[in-house]
Amino acid sequence: MSISATAPWVKYYGDTPAHLDYPRVTMYEMLAKAAAAYPGNTAYIFQGKKTSFADFMQRIDATAKGLYHLGIRKGDRVTICMANTPQAVDCFYALNRIGAIPNMIHPLSAANEIAFYLNVSHSKAILTLAQFYDKVASIQDKLEQPTQILIARIADELPMPLSLLYPLTSGGKADKKPAGNGYMLWTDMVAAGKDTVLPKQDGKFDDCGAILYSGGTTGTTKGIMLSNLNFNALGLQTIAASGFGSVAGMKMLSIMPVFHGFGLGIGIHTALIGGATCILVPQFSVKIYADVLKKQKPNLIPGVPTLFEALLRAEGLDGVDLSFLKGIFAGGDCLSVELKKKVDDFLKAHNCHEQIREGYGTTECVTASCLTPRDYARSGSIGVPFPDTYYKIVKPGTTEEAPANTEGEICLSGPTVMLGYMDQPEETANTLRSHGDGRIWLHTGDLGHMDEDGFIYFRQRLKRMIITSGYNVYPSQLENIIDGHDKVLISCVIGIKDQYRGQKIKAYVVPAPGVEPTEELKKELLEHCTAHMAKYAVPRDIEFRTELPKTLVGKVAYRVLEEEANGE
């Protein structure tokens, strides 16, 4: 009997099919099919400027000609060090058109980090924004091979009259032409390729389509090679699991960064191959977030928990009708039950009839691989596997499947699982393992359990566990309890080295808006903890902060707090 025939979660799919067809095509070809079906639809909106699918395909081909004229060929790697702008999206698909590989990194990476990414990927070129040119130019002597610097300017993509006002509103610095000759402007590169004849598209569905980066299960930076099929399958699975049948004509708030699996895989590629519109937001702030919601009225919002926590702090949303929201999807980090309740209550109070639907995934499978079914939410669950994706819980350190409702390591198998880690065969072999059923399973390094109906419950990374006085304590569970207090906006729990206990527990807390961080509040929160958690798990200290540090993709950076507290 096949694994799909015994998968208990399929009965909760509703109208979602258990199996899908996956065309053996590239990402560019998948996009071209959507553009042919919806040529007049808007592919993306940037600062109010709309670009249709038909125009988008022309931009991609023009960009591909420019890159080809520059000397970029099939298999070459080009680093995209960009915010969510049209040039970043055009470049991503143009590279795929000629069979080259985008290497996606954060534009705010430190200079030495950029040098690392360029060297480890052997990139022939890097695309970045004008304001980051000096940083990129400063590392030329640290690069192992010559790398062409391509400079994009935000003003080039703004509608009139914003393009004229941009130098004034940005202080006149953002798009200032860099000094020196070590770069080529994006617009000049595209113009230079005007008469270039592109070779026939000969990419394959199982070619590497992009390289993303993650700490993986060991916490060290690794390049993750993802195929065309990985991205295309993700898009088709996400649309099917969403329950909409089609997302054509809908608007996706593409605020998650393009260098991140969630932002690129869901916020960009899923939307585009489904004929939906990407609302490209290059920089996040609570004010920008609120303004985009009011002006652009997106139908779909994928985001990490901190994005939804920001809703609770946004000004100017009082009385705003949010009924245009049709799908709100949370992933990328653990969403506490209490934060979900607060956001769901906020949405309901603003006439939105949807609730947050939780999902889960890792960059090793692009991003999401399971989602809460529309009509079958279970408290604390991150949902059920996508079509054609299979989950199992194994006893940590083994391939032995654990019984239902037993905690262990989350493993998954399906068409979105990565090709492997770039130039790290041993790490790949440790993460992608063949089990007794003959399938290749991705060992996520995450702790969770599955109930008898196939609903998945995420706990956290195995390595984030705190051991205090011999007891195992899971920070996400404590954060869930602390976040449940009505005077708390968000919290983060860490372990601090302690000679007596091994580790002692400390909580960092951001009070709710309008709540003062007093000693009385600290006492109240400690009493709340004592009433709701085991004595050994109660924090030894609570420190108030106005905000918590975030990773580059908006997750709470608990490691920063750990290093600070432990003097590392």
Side-chain angles (χ1 to χ4, degrees), residues 306 333 336 464 466 474-483 488-496 505-511 539 541-545 547-550 555-562 565:
T306 49
D333 203 356
S336 74
R464 200 190 166 197
I466 297 171
Y474 301 112
S476 59
Q477 295 178 354
L478 306 192
E479 290 159 3
N480 204 17
I481 292 169
I482 297 171
D483 290 352
V488 172
L489 181 62
I490 194 169
S491 66
C492 181
V493 172
I494 66 163
I496 301 176
I505 299 167
K506 180 174 182 177
Y508 292 85
V509 171
V510 178
D541 185 32
I542 292 177
E543 181 175 329
F544 294 115
R545 294 283 180 98
E547 61 181 4
L548 298 178
K550 304 291 197 303
K555 300 180 185 180
V556 174
Y558 69 86
R559 287 196 188 92
V560 171
L561 295 172
E562 284 178 344

Side-chain angles (χ1 to χ4, degrees), residues 198-457:
L198 289 173
K200 182 181 178 182
Q201 166 85 16
D202 66 347
K204 296 180 175 60
F205 75 100
D206 53 357
D207 285 345
C208 180
I211 298 169
L212 303 181
Y213 290 87
S214 172
T217 58
T218 61
T220 56
T221 301
K222 292 182 283 291
I224 296 170
M225 299 186 298
L226 297 161
S227 71
N228 286 292
L229 172 63
N230 293 157
F231 278 93
N232 289 339
L234 170 75
L236 294 171
Q237 290 177 335
T238 302
I239 293 169
S242 71
F244 296 119
S246 170
V247 295
M250 289 188 171
K251 291 190 286 187
M252 176 88 79
L253 180 59
S254 304
I255 198 168
M256 290 295 295
V258 70
F259 61 83
H260 184 255
F262 203 3
L264 181 61
I266 302 282
I268 302 293
H269 192 61
T270 295
L272 291 173
I273 68 170
T277 300
C278 297
I279 302 170
L280 299 177
V281 182
Q283 183 178 10
F284 173 79
S285 74
V286 176
K287 183 181 184 303
I288 290 172
Y289 187 18
D291 287 346
V292 171
L293 283 176
K294 288 188 290 186
K295 293 177 182 177
Q296 300 290 352
K297 295 181 170 55
N299 309 116
L300 308 169
I301 301 182
V304 293
T306 49
L307 184 70
F308 300 110
E309 174 262 325
L311 267 180
L312 307 178
R313 295 186 286 120
E315 296 180 359
L317 291 180
D318 291 345
V320 173
D321 187 330
L322 298 180
S323 59
F324 52 78
L325 291 174
K326 304 301 181 186
I328 306 104
F329 307 99
D333 203 356
C334 188
L335 175 71
S336 74
V337 173
E338 291 302 328
L339 179 57
K340 173 174 164 47
K341 183 179 183 303
K342 289 175 184 178
V343 176
D344 285 343
D345 288 345
F346 176 91
L347 293 170
K348 185 177 181 181
H350 289 74
N351 200 32
C352 175
H353 303 295
E354 302 295 326
Q355 294 187 351
I356 290 183
R357 293 171 64 186
E358 292 184 72
Y360 163 84
T362 68
T363 312
E364 284 81 357
C365 59
V366 190
T367 180
S369 55
C370 77
L371 181 67
T372 299
R374 191 164 201 147
D375 300 318
Y376 298 102
R378 293 191 179 181
S379 180
S381 171
I382 51 175
V384 299
F386 276 171
D388 302 307
T389 294
Y390 307 106
Y391 270 63
K392 70 164 67 169
I393 307 298
V394 301
K395 296 178 181 178
T398 76
T399 61
E400 182 183 349
E401 188 167 5
N405 297 304
T406 302
E407 288 196 346
E409 183 182 11
I410 298 173
C411 294
L412 61 98
S413 180
T416 61
V417 171
M418 67 175 180
L419 297 171
Y421 294 120
M422 179 173 57
D423 301 325
Q424 296 195 49
E426 289 187 9
E427 287 283 359
T428 300
N430 287 335
T431 303
L432 301 182
R433 303 183 203 171
S434 177
H435 290 194
D437 55 14
R439 296 185 69 91
I440 299 297
W441 291 86
L442 167 63
H443 284 245
T444 66
D446 288 343
L447 186 71
H449 73 271
M450 181 191 297
D451 66 21
E452 52 282 329
D453 292 324
F455 281 74
I456 315 299
Y457 297 79

Side-chain angles (χ1 to χ4, degrees), residues 33-105:
K33 182 180 178 182
Y38 310 105
N41 282 20
T42 299
Y44 54 69
I45 301 172
F46 184 69
Q47 302 295 302
K49 182 181 178 181
K50 298 180 179 181
T51 298
S52 71
F53 271 90
D55 289 342
F56 180 34
M57 296 308 296
Q58 291 181 359
R59 288 174 60 110
I60 292 171
D61 284 353
T63 300
K65 289 179 179 181
L67 290 166
Y68 197 81
H69 182 266
L70 192 66
I72 304 301
R73 296 293 185 267
K74 182 176 181 179
D76 288 344
R77 294 164 179 176
V78 173
T79 293
I80 297 179
C81 180
M82 293 285 289
N84 292 11
T85 66
Q87 299 101 321
V89 180
D90 294 351
C91 188
F92 179 80
Y93 287 103
L95 289 169
N96 192 251
R97 163 68 180 84
I98 58 179
I101 304 170
N103 183 56
M104 312 300 292
I105 71 171

